[in-house]
Amino acid sequence: MNARTPRNETAAPAVDSGVLRATDAGTRAYARRHAPRFAADFHRETPFGLSVSSLGIGTYLGEPTAAHDDAYEAAVVHAIDSGINLIDTAINYRCQRSELAVGAAIQRAIATGAAARDELVLCSKGGYIPLDGTPPESRDAYREYVRREFVEPEILRPDEIVAGGHSLAPRFLRYCIAKSRQNLGIRTIDVYYLHNPEQQAAYVDPAELRDRIRAAFAVLEESASRGEIGVYGCATWDGLRAPAGAPGHLSLEELVALAHDVAGGDHRFRVVQMPISMGMPEGVRSATQTVRGRALAPIDAARELGLSVVASASLMQGKLVAGLPAAVAELFPHATTDAQRAVTFVRSVPGVASALVGMKQPAHADELLAACREGHLDK
C-alpha cells in the first residue's frame, strides 16, 4: 500500500495552526496578486463571500494509478501557481486517489508559497460509495467490499443504498465528509456538494426524495456549524436540466425551500454545479425551472435564488477540444484553439462563477489560461 492509498479512518486531519479555510480576504488577495495577468472578470466574487477563478480545475477522469496521481498533483500545483484557486474533486473520483492527489498538491503549493490556505477554494462531494485505492476485481467483490466496509460497521443500511452504490443517508454523509477532510489534509472543505441527488429519483417517490434531501441538508448544516465545511450545494448532471415532470428533475426553488426548512434564512445552501457547454446548453437555454411562478433556465433560476453556479463538463470530457464548426471560430476570434473557444463560451455565460475543466498536464492549464488574458475576450 503506497502513501496515497486511502485508509478507512475518519479522524480529522492534522493541519497547520494558521487559517483553516478559504476567506473573503484571502481569496481577494489571491485575485489581486494574479490580476495583472488576466482579463478583469477572470476572478469573480460569489454570493457566499469568496472570490473564485472563472476557470477551475477538475479531477474526475483518469485511471487509479500512481502515474495519474502524479499527473494530477503536478497539474493542481501548476494551476494554483498560475491563477486558478478553485479546485474540484469528490471522494469517489478515482477510488479516492483524486482527493489524495489534490491534498498533496495543496501542501506543496502552501509550502512553496504559491498560495496560502485561505486563498484556495476547495470543493468535494459525497453521495457515491467510494472505493479504496483500486477497484474490486468483480461485481461480487464489490458487493463484499460494500458489506464489509459500510454495512457491517453500520455506516449504511442496505435499504439506504440505491443503484448499487448511491446514498444520501446521514451517517454515510458524515463518514464521507470526515474521510474527504482526511484525504485532502484540511480542516474545512470550502464547498461541499451532494453528488447527483437525482440518482435517487428512480428508486424512491418524490416525497421520500424530499425527505432524504432534507435530512442530508440537516447533516450539512451541522457540519458547517462545526467548521467541517463552509457552504454546500448540489452537484447535478441531469437534475436541473431535465424538464419539470421528467424522471430525476430537481427544482431549485424546492431545494432552497428545504434548506430554509432546516436552517431558516441563514442556511448555507449557496452553490449548484451542472453541465454547461456548447454541446450541453440546456442549463442556459431550457426553461426547466420555475421560480415564483416564472419559467426560467437553470442559470437564471439560480441567480434569482441567490445561488452561485459552477459549470461542469465545460469541454464535455474532451469532446470539444477539436473539430468545432468554422462558424464557432468566427464567434471567438481571439481564441486560437477549439478548447479555448469552448471554455470562453462557458466563461461568457452570465451567472457562471467558474468553468471546470479536467487537467492532468500543466500545458492544459496554460492553453486555457491564455484565452483568459486581457485582449483575448470574445467580442
Side-chain angles (χ1 to χ4, degrees):
M1 182 177 290
N2 63 41
R4 288 180 180 156
T5 301
R7 301 177 187 275
N8 288 324
E9 300 169 0
T10 58
V15 296
D16 293 336
S17 59
V19 178
L20 304 177
R21 63 197 301 171
T23 66
D24 179 29
T27 55
R28 284 175 182 265
Y30 182 91
R32 286 194 301 271
R33 190 163 69 253
H34 290 276
R37 307 168 61 186
F38 296 108
D41 72 337
F42 179 70
H43 289 94
R44 300 173 180 180
E45 296 181 9
T46 66
F48 57 91
L50 302 178
S51 295
V52 301
S53 54
S54 57
L55 181 64
I57 183 167
T59 59
Y60 170 56
L61 295 177
E63 297 300 317
T65 63
H68 283 248
D69 296 342
D70 293 342
Y72 267 125
E73 182 179 335
V76 172
V77 170
H78 182 75
I80 292 170
D81 194 43
S82 301
I84 294 173
N85 76 328
L86 188 140
I87 305 157
D88 184 87
T89 190
I91 193 170
N92 63 301
Y93 287 176
R94 301 175 51 254
C95 305
Q96 301 187 56
R97 299 174 79 122
S98 284
E99 283 191 333
L100 289 159
V102 168
I106 292 165
Q107 297 305 317
R108 278 180 56 188
I110 293 173
T112 61
R117 172 63 187 96
D118 66 340
E119 297 178 332
L120 303 177
V121 182
L122 307 178
C123 314
S124 196
K125 314 176 188 75
Y128 289 101
I129 292 175
L131 301 177
D132 188 11
T134 56
E137 295 181 355
S138 67
R139 188 176 296 275
D140 286 343
Y142 170 73
R143 293 193 186 103
E144 171 58 21
Y145 167 76
V146 172
R147 183 196 62 77
R148 182 181 68 249
E149 301 295 336
F150 293 93
V151 175
E152 283 192 353
E154 298 184 345
I155 296 169
L156 279 170
R157 297 195 311 266
D159 64 352
E160 294 173 326
I161 304 170
V162 306
H166 190 273
S167 182
L168 300 178
R171 287 165 298 176
F172 176 65
L173 290 176
R174 292 187 185 101
Y175 166 90
C176 288
I177 291 169
K179 186 65 173 171
S180 289
R181 291 166 60 225
Q182 179 192 1
N183 288 344
L184 292 163
I186 59 175
R187 182 70 64 185
T188 302
I189 301 170
D190 301 302
V191 179
Y192 194 81
Y193 297 104
L194 290 187
H195 201 172
N196 292 350
E198 66 267 32
Q199 181 86 58
Q200 301 269 319
Y203 301 89
V204 300
D205 62 38
E208 174 65 17
L209 179 57
R210 285 192 295 272
D211 288 344
R212 292 186 178 194
I213 293 175
R214 184 186 290 107
F217 282 3
V219 170
L220 298 180
E221 290 288 347
E222 292 167 4
S223 293
S225 295
R226 290 192 295 267
E228 296 165 353
I229 66 173
V231 298
Y232 65 92
C234 292
T236 68
W237 190 253
D238 293 322
L240 301 180
R241 300 179 301 122
H249 169 79
L250 294 175
S251 164
L252 273 177
E253 188 173 51
E254 188 171 83
L255 291 173
V256 171
L258 290 174
H260 195 278
D261 285 350
V262 171
D266 294 328
H267 66 80
R268 283 91 153 198
F269 180 77
R270 291 288 180 256
V271 195
V272 291
Q273 188 180 120
M274 60 181 155
I276 297 176
S277 71
M278 289 181 177
M280 302 175 74
E282 301 88 350
V284 178
R285 297 180 178 173
S286 299
T288 65
Q289 299 291 317
T290 300
V291 179
R292 292 181 281 275
R294 297 171 57 212
L296 298 171
I299 191 83
D300 299 318
R303 184 165 53 246
E304 285 282 319
L305 294 166
L307 304 174
S308 287
V309 173
V310 173
S312 61
S314 300
L315 297 180
M316 288 186 65
Q317 298 177 358
K319 294 182 176 65
L320 301 179
V321 300
L324 295 180
V328 173
E330 296 174 5
L331 295 173
F332 304 101
H334 296 285
T336 60
T337 69
D338 280 347
Q340 289 180 345
R341 294 175 187 111
V343 167
T344 300
F345 166 79
V346 180
R347 288 185 59 250
S348 69
V349 172
V352 168
S354 190
L356 293 178
V357 178
M359 305 178 202
K360 293 196 293 290
Q361 297 180 27
H364 294 161
D366 292 340
E367 176 187 355
L368 298 177
L369 287 170
C372 304
R373 313 293 185 198
E374 199 67 60
H376 285 258
L377 301 179
D378 52 306
K379 300 297 185 183

